[in-house]
Amino acid sequence: MEKEHNLFLSILISLSRVEVLRDIILIGGWCPLVYREYFGNPVEISMQRTADLDILIPNPPLIHKEVDVSLILKALGFDRKVSLIDGYEKYVHPDLEVEFLTPERGRGREKPYAIEKLHINAQGLRYLDLIQSHVMKTSFRGISLNVPEPSAYVLHKFIVSGRRKESFKKEKDIETARQIGEYLLDREDQKKKMRKIYLGMPEKWKKDLMKIVKRTSEKIYAFLNSLED
């Protein structure tokens, strides 16, 4: 995974130089690597990454500077691929794929959201408001960036795992969420944050979450269930 790791760093450095990282949020499978460094490299948080790099564009997009992100990715060796069916785009490299996502609102839409200042489009997905509402600024390898609060990341992972069609990705989401979530519950500050985030979730989201957590983590289920008493 060294090539993927180096490419990931190159993307962060390139987006940081043009002041884009301050306006976007790193989500998905590369966050555990950032959390691992943030918490001082605990063995409980896996080093495993993914070939997909997901970036969240807030909705509405609060972009301070116009930058052609597609050209930046092209310079790093990425090809832009656009679906002929729905217009969704991704940037493909032999070692990594980059997708831009944004919280879906209302009835949703069947086409991507144009992020004009960044010259890209983003796919709208449900539940991403949970992440957008709970973001922290941190540093990774000396690069300042935004990531979800770890507890928000964990709860979101559990919820979206229930919507996964591929069993491999579903189980991977669950294992990542369980691993990080159980580690967080051993830290009083993170435990308080998980409590606050969970209690602020819509009731339907809580029900969807608890169905999955009940069968995957006795420790996390016991904690969240105690909050309802």
Side-chain angles (χ1 to χ4, degrees):
M1 293 289 286
E2 185 176 351
K3 289 190 297 182
E4 292 90 335
H5 182 267
N6 290 339
L7 184 56
F8 170 63
L9 282 177
S10 294
I11 293 170
L12 294 185
I13 291 169
S14 297
L15 295 180
S16 178
R17 283 175 178 164
V18 294
E19 301 178 12
V20 169
L21 276 186
R22 65 179 181 174
D23 298 329
I24 61 179
I25 306 160
L26 174 70
I27 62 175
W30 285 84
C31 284
L33 193 66
V34 177
Y35 295 145
R36 186 179 170 89
E37 180 173 297
Y38 175 76
F39 287 116
N41 296 310
V43 295
E44 293 90 344
I45 299 180
S46 172
M47 292 285 286
Q48 186 178 9
R49 279 91 72 192
T50 173
D52 301 319
L53 174 58
D54 297 328
I55 294 174
L56 178 65
I57 309 296
N59 186 1
L62 303 175
I63 309 299
H64 291 87
K65 183 178 178 181
E66 182 165 359
V67 175
D68 194 333
V69 170
S70 64
L71 285 182
I72 291 173
L73 292 174
K74 183 178 180 180
L76 291 172
F78 285 85
D79 292 323
R80 179 175 178 263
K81 304 292 184 183
V82 182
S83 169
L84 296 177
I85 299 174
D86 48 33
Y88 293 126
E89 69 179 22
K90 66 170 57 177
Y91 292 83
V92 180
H93 184 282
D95 300 319
L96 207 59
E97 291 187 1
V98 177
E99 286 191 85
F100 296 95
L101 308 173
T102 195
E104 187 76 276
R105 300 278 171 78
R107 293 184 177 181
R109 55 196 294 180
E110 296 180 356
K111 61 181 181 179
Y113 292 76
I115 314 299
E116 295 179 358
K117 278 194 172 183
L118 299 182
H119 298 257
I120 56 171
N121 68 46
Q123 180 181 359
L125 293 178
R126 300 291 179 186
Y127 301 111
L128 286 175
D129 273 312
L130 178 60
I131 286 179
Q132 181 172 314
S133 299
H134 303 283
V135 176
M136 74 173 191
K137 186 175 290 292
T138 187
S139 177
F140 178 72
R141 301 291 195 270
I143 304 166
S144 179
L145 75 165
N146 301 308
V147 294
E149 281 284 355
S151 289
Y153 178 84
V154 166
L155 300 181
H156 177 264
K157 272 285 182 190
F158 275 125
I159 293 174
V160 298
S161 72
R163 300 170 67 89
R164 290 282 198 187
K165 294 180 180 179
E166 307 95 329
S167 59
F168 170 74
K169 289 188 175 181
K170 181 188 185 81
E171 293 307 316
K172 187 176 179 182
D173 276 350
I174 289 173
E175 180 56 23
T176 298
R178 184 197 64 76
Q179 192 180 71
I180 299 175
E182 292 183 358
Y183 170 76
L184 295 177
L185 290 182
D186 290 332
R187 299 176 59 95
E188 198 58 38
D189 59 333
Q190 294 298 321
K191 197 172 182 179
K192 289 178 181 177
K193 288 182 180 180
M194 188 179 293
R195 177 183 184 278
K196 181 179 179 181
I197 293 171
Y198 174 77
L199 292 177
M201 289 170 54
E203 289 302 317
K204 185 182 184 306
W205 292 18
K206 288 182 186 177
K207 290 179 181 178
D208 292 342
L209 168 69
M210 293 300 278
K211 286 178 185 177
I212 298 166
V213 174
K214 186 175 183 179
R215 62 179 177 81
T216 55
S217 174
E218 182 179 342
K219 183 175 182 178
I220 299 173
Y221 179 77
F223 172 70
L224 296 179
N225 194 48
S226 72
L227 302 179
E228 299 292 350
D229 296 338

